[in-house]
């Protein structure tokens, strides 16, 4: 396995409430709606050199609300919408488990369900990513905790999905309105003011010079 600081940096992005409108257990194409900040935010991160990796908990599969095939169908639709805007996702990882409400073998306390960092660690191994120069954008405290446990450089909370709680805001490097603002702050492109100061991360800066 590569050393943590080697490889390409990634932007790990939660899906519901960050890329698309947060609705309960989105799994139908007709219910999938991109948030206004999603396209510009993803474009900014892609142009900055980040691999775009979606990491999403999908407890609806565990609960029996929809199937793996339903999830894959919606993922293909999301990829198509983004590709039409010139945005190429490097990978999409999902956790289909739930520790208490899952059915059958999907009822398990797994290593992939955020706040566990399993999806991020798996992506690092499979894609040759540098975790210590990677970033994360999510809308819940579990997203931020997963990023911290994986050793990421920056973890940003957005308000476009779940209303952020005080603990999640305290754990994040910044709390911003949406993915577009988060991407701008992370890349230093006209960064808005975060909830507390932290320097934007430059993908091109030498590792020893990064905060």
């Amino acid at each position: 396995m590569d050393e943590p600081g080697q490889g390409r940096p990634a932007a790990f992005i939660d899906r519901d409430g960050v890329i698309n409108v947060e609705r309960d257990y989105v799994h139908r194409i007709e219910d999938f709606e991109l948030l206004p900040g999603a396209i510009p935010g993803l474009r900014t991160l892609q142009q900055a050199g980040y691999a775009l990796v979606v990491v999403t908990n999908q407890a609806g599969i565990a609960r029996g609300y929809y199937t793996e095939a339903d999830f894959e169908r919606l993922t293909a639709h999301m990829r198509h919408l983004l590709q039409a805007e010139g945005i190429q996702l490097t990978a999409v990882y999902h956790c289909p488990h739930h520790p208490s409400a899952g059915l059958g073998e999907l009822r398990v306390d797994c290593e992939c369900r955020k706040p566990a960092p399993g999806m991020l660690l798996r992506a690092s191994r499979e894609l040759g990513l540098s975790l210590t120069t990677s970033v994360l954008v999510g809308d819940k405290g579990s997203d931020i905790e997963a990023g911290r446990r994986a050793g990421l450089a920056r973890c940003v909370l957005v308000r476009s999905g779940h209303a952020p709680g005080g603990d999640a805001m305290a754990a994040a490097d910044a709390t911003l309105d949406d993915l577009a603002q988060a991407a701008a702050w992370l890349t230093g492109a006209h960064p808005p003011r975060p909830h507390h100061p932290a320097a934007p991360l430059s993908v091109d800066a030498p590792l020893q010079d990064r905060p």
Side-chain angles (χ1 to χ4, degrees):
M1 179 177 171
D2 291 338
E3 292 299 318
Q6 296 178 345
R8 183 183 181 187
F12 292 101
I13 313 293
D14 181 42
R15 195 192 75 176
D16 300 328
V18 181
I19 294 177
N20 59 280
V21 175
E22 173 68 47
R23 297 188 174 102
D24 288 340
Y25 303 107
V26 175
H27 63 280
R28 302 188 307 171
I29 289 175
E30 55 266 37
D31 295 329
F32 186 86
E33 179 184 355
L34 290 173
L35 283 162
I39 295 297
L42 290 169
R43 183 177 291 120
T44 295
L45 292 167
Q46 180 173 269
Q47 290 174 345
Y50 288 103
L52 303 180
V53 181
V54 174
V55 285
T56 173
N57 288 349
Q58 291 293 316
I61 298 174
R63 294 172 182 269
Y65 297 161
Y66 51 94
T67 66
E68 288 275 359
D70 293 327
F71 172 78
E72 294 299 340
R73 188 177 304 111
L74 186 60
T75 297
H77 174 68
M78 175 178 68
R79 283 184 176 275
H80 175 74
L81 293 178
L82 298 179
Q83 286 170 354
E85 298 291 338
I87 295 165
Q88 193 74 34
L89 297 180
T90 302
V92 177
Y93 290 88
H94 75 288
C95 170
H97 310 116
H98 193 280
S100 60
L103 302 177
E105 63 184 12
L106 296 179
R107 184 172 183 172
V108 59
D109 190 7
C110 64
E111 294 298 320
C112 55
R113 178 177 169 81
K114 296 174 291 182
M119 286 187 284
L120 286 69
L121 300 179
R122 179 184 169 192
S124 175
R125 292 192 302 268
E126 295 181 349
L127 304 174
L129 302 174
S130 165
L131 291 175
T132 57
T133 58
S134 292
V135 299
L136 176 142
V137 182
D139 69 326
K140 297 188 292 295
S142 57
D143 298 314
I144 304 304
E145 183 177 343
R148 293 296 184 217
R149 292 170 65 179
L152 303 189
R154 289 282 184 267
C155 298
V156 176
L157 194 67
V158 293
R159 303 183 183 93
S160 51
H162 291 273
D167 290 345
M169 292 175 64
D173 291 300
T175 302
L176 303 166
D177 286 344
D178 59 13
L179 183 53
Q181 284 195 5
W185 183 78
L186 285 165
T187 61
H190 309 293
R193 184 183 298 276
H195 73 268
H196 61 78
L201 181 70
S202 171
V203 172
D204 297 325
L207 182 60
Q208 63 270 23
D209 294 338
R210 298 182 186 184

